[in-house]
Amino acid sequence: MKWFEKEDTQAIIISLSIVTFTSTLWIFNLPYIYKFIDIKFISWNFNSIFQVITHFNIFSIILLYVFFILCFGIAFFFLKYDVKKYLINFSIIFLLSILTNFISSHELIKAWKLETPLIALIIGLIIGNIFQFPTWFKDSLVTEFYVKIGIVLMGATLPLTLLIQAGSIAILQACIITIITFCSIFFISTKLFKLDPCFGATLSGGGSICGVSAAIVIGNAAKAKQEYISVTISIVVFWAILMILFLPLLCKFLELDAGVAGAWIGTSEFADAAGLAAASAIGDERAVAAFTLIKVLGRDMFIGIWAVIVAFLSIAFWEKNISEKISPKIIWQRFPIFIVGFIFMSIFTSIFIILLQNQGKIYQDEVLSNIKNFRNWIFIWTFLCIGLSANIKQILFLGYKPLLAFSLGVAINLPLGFVLSNYIFVDFWTNFLK
């Protein structure tokens, strides 16, 4: 039962349920049932707003809501969350996502090429920093849970052959960026600003591996003070938001290929959710896929290994506690299990397509496109949660030393990622998924 009480496990179960559900309906020639999530928001302006509202498919919206209420309700029960509060939270997020899609379909927004995830983030930031929400609401924002579901579903749309082909490049590039960024932030924090090594390790993990999750895992492995972890999380959120806003614009200004842009974002963004928002803002599926390979396969999967290294350093050098031992089992305990789901889902759909033979292409066009629709809704909920949970006032009142140490790490990470993506591995990423 403990296995069922993990967010990673429930994310895999929900994702597998979605893929199995849509695939089964397709096999029995009942595609119209799962096409209810293909909700269209037609382009509008203020002169045609009432006409557009009358075209809303309320029935499809209600079906989509009920479907996910059932999925999340079961998941929250096994996670031992307060089901009522968490479902109320989701209901509010769902209504905001309808508003987000409606605003994103405005002619002016489309003319400016502002993608829906960016609009979701902006709406979340505005609402979250103007209105005062009760503590239970912010505590029940399951941002990481949505991210994990979206990433596992991403695996279903990426063939296994692509993972095998691109995985080695993604892991190599990610290893280079992770090691250099981690060491840079740690050196700057401890040697230049004389911060506690445990604090330096927490900052380094948040800036080089996977943002908030790494800050928590690495901070706990280093036995860092709770305020160190909290400050690191705030800094990660601060920089993640800046990256979402400016990195896609920079990629478009430099006229980078979508594959190159996605790879650069994958090496430069700290948090999965924020990176997905930035990659989605490029407006090309290749950018999202390249980001996912770099970030998920290349950086997130090493969090367990880094946790072991940091825990060993903490015990052997920082705390001088030789009576405590580190077990290799911690690698599995710290390993983000949803990555296994990401790979499994790729294997699952790839085998299914092979077994279908001539029908495989039809399956990809009809079923996997609908899985992408599910994934897009989940990503919108993710970006709304990021905005709603970001307290700009709190971020602005941080101490300058940890913020500056982290920022100097960004100053190293950003150009290094650009060189790796646009020069060293440019041929691979330029031809990626073409």
Side-chain angles (χ1 to χ4, degrees), residues 281-322:
I282 299 297
D284 192 311
E285 184 71 15
R286 293 172 59 236
V288 177
F291 161 81
T292 303
L293 289 177
I294 288 281
K295 190 68 174 64
V296 176
L297 281 186
R299 295 171 71 183
D300 291 4
M301 67 184 298
F302 288 105
I303 188 171
I305 296 173
W306 278 105
V308 171
I309 295 172
V310 170
F312 172 78
L313 292 172
S314 175
I315 292 169
F317 298 100
W318 304 335
E319 298 177 24
K320 305 294 183 182
N321 185 356
I322 59 174

Side-chain angles (χ1 to χ4, degrees), residues 304-361:
I305 296 173
W306 278 105
V308 171
I309 295 172
V310 170
F312 172 78
L313 292 172
S314 175
I315 292 169
F317 298 100
W318 304 335
E319 298 177 24
K320 305 294 183 182
N321 185 356
I322 59 174
S323 63
E324 198 169 351
K325 295 181 180 180
I326 291 298
S327 170
K329 290 182 180 179
I330 196 173
I331 293 179
W332 177 249
Q333 293 171 352
R334 302 296 190 185
F335 187 82
I337 308 300
F338 74 92
I339 295 176
V340 177
F342 170 83
I343 298 172
F344 169 78
M345 204 62 70
S346 176
I347 296 172
F348 178 83
T349 53
S350 296
I351 293 176
F352 194 67
I353 290 170
I354 292 172
L355 293 175
L356 289 171
Q357 297 181 349
N358 296 334
Q359 297 291 313
K361 183 65 170 63

